């Protein structure tokens, strides 16, 4: 989310990108079915309107990224019921039905990500418009979660899933 002008003024220089961290939007599968979404899936950020959505803790960067993503969809933060739980607490609240969706930025290998991907009551929102987002917000890239990468035997995830990802960079100042 770096601001190149502000970084230059502050004397911050990027030494290079290290790795991608996907933006994961998990939601309760029964919610999409109840809202009669096509294929029983939430497919666009606009479909989060009015829902209880956790965007991680202040200072994590996730709330700021979500604010930018929502703005691209002509949504204000007040159009959703936002909360700022820590990732593990959000995962628990989502699984217990206290949240409708949770936004996380984490490596695919993280335990919470793997747990949510395997939970049959939870679905992962695919960023089908990933290229459009990355054109509007150059700090984001489109990446793919390949079919079966989480669990080959159980075929998790069953299709390839397009995601957005931030790039973690090594900075010096």
């Amino acid at each position: 989310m770096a601001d190149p002008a502000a970084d230059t003024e502050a004397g911050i220089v990027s030494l290079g990108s290290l790795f991608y961290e996907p933006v994961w939007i998990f939601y309760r599968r029964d919610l999409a079915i109840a809202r009669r979404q096509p294929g029983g899936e939430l497919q666009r950020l606009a479909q989060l309107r009015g829902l209880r959505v956790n965007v991680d803790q202040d200072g994590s960067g996730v709330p700021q990224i979500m604010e930018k993503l929502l703005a691209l969809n002509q949504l204000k933060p007040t159009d959703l019921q936002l909360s700022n739980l820590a990732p593990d607490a959000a995962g628990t609240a989502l699984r217990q039905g206290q949240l409708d969706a949770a936004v996380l930025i984490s490596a695919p290998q993280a335990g919470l990500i793997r747990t949510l991907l395997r939970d049959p009551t939870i679905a992962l929102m695919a960023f089908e418009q990933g290229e459009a987002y990355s054109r509007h917000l150059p700090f984001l890239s489109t990446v793919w979660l390949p079919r079966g990468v989480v669990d080959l035997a159980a075929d998790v995830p069953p299709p390839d899933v397009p995601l957005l990802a931030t790039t973690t960079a090594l900075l010096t100042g």
Side-chain angles (χ1 to χ4, degrees):
M1 283 186 25
D3 176 349
D7 289 349
T8 300
E9 288 177 20
I12 297 173
V13 177
S14 174
L15 299 178
S17 298
L18 301 177
F19 51 87
Y20 291 114
E21 284 194 312
V23 177
W24 308 90
I25 300 181
F26 290 100
Y27 62 91
R28 297 194 49 78
R29 194 175 300 278
D30 59 353
L31 175 79
I33 294 167
R35 286 185 154 213
R36 298 181 183 194
Q37 298 302 316
E41 298 178 352
L42 297 182
Q43 301 170 335
R44 296 182 348 269
L45 287 177
Q47 294 169 309
L48 298 177
R49 184 183 304 274
L51 298 183
R52 300 169 298 169
V53 180
N54 191 76
V55 293
D56 207 343
Q57 297 171 307
D58 287 329
S60 69
V62 179
Q64 292 81 10
I65 290 173
M66 277 306 293
E67 191 171 316
K68 291 176 186 303
L69 294 174
L70 292 173
L72 287 172
N73 287 276
Q74 300 178 359
L75 292 169
K76 297 179 293 263
T78 56
D79 290 332
L80 289 75
Q81 298 174 46
L82 297 178
S83 61
N84 297 100
L85 299 173
D88 287 334
T92 299
L94 179 65
R95 294 174 85 198
Q96 293 177 349
Q98 298 162 344
L99 286 173
D100 300 315
V103 182
L104 305 165
I105 294 182
S106 184
Q109 301 84 0
L112 177 58
I113 300 300
R114 297 178 78 73
T115 297
L116 292 174
L117 286 169
R118 286 188 171 107
D119 188 322
T121 67
I122 304 298
L124 174 62
M125 181 182 286
F127 275 96
E128 298 290 345
Q129 297 172 307
E131 283 300 315
Y133 284 108
S134 65
R135 302 266 173 106
H136 287 280
L137 302 171
F139 63 87
L140 293 173
S141 300
T142 302
V143 296
W144 291 86
L145 183 66
R147 178 180 182 165
V149 73
V150 174
D151 187 332
L152 276 169
D155 198 24
V156 177
D160 290 347
V161 181
L163 300 171
L164 287 176
T166 62
T167 304
T168 299
L170 180 61
L171 305 175
T172 186

